[in-house]
Amino acid sequence: LVGDVWFGEQTQNKIVDYIKNNISKDKLILDLGCGNCEFLFRMFDEGYSNLDGLDYSETFIEFVNEKIKVMKNENIKFNLYC
């Protein structure tokens, strides 16, 4: 299962770099309109673990939960809300 970076990889890289340089890894990262959670997966890869996502689409939430199952990584725990 693959998701896209909807607002551009360059923009996402800038946001990730800003967060890495200014926000400690124990702080909550909340992604409003998280869609396929590509940003939250990226932040998880960067060492952040307190990750929440909110999206209006139950389909996206189901997609992400299925993606986590397929990855078989018990350390990925996003709190996802619809």
Side-chain angles (χ1 to χ4, degrees), residues 5 7-17:
V5 177
F7 47 82
E9 193 167 342
Q10 184 177 12
T11 301
Q12 180 172 297
N13 289 340
K14 287 181 183 180
I15 294 168
V16 169
D17 287 343

Side-chain angles (χ1 to χ4, degrees), residues 19 22-30 40 43 47-52:
I19 290 172
N22 294 284
I23 299 174
S24 63
K25 293 188 178 183
D26 63 328
K27 298 295 182 186
L28 171 66
I29 302 294
L30 174 61
L40 293 180
M43 295 312 301
Y48 291 81
S49 59
N50 193 4
L51 303 167
D52 286 3

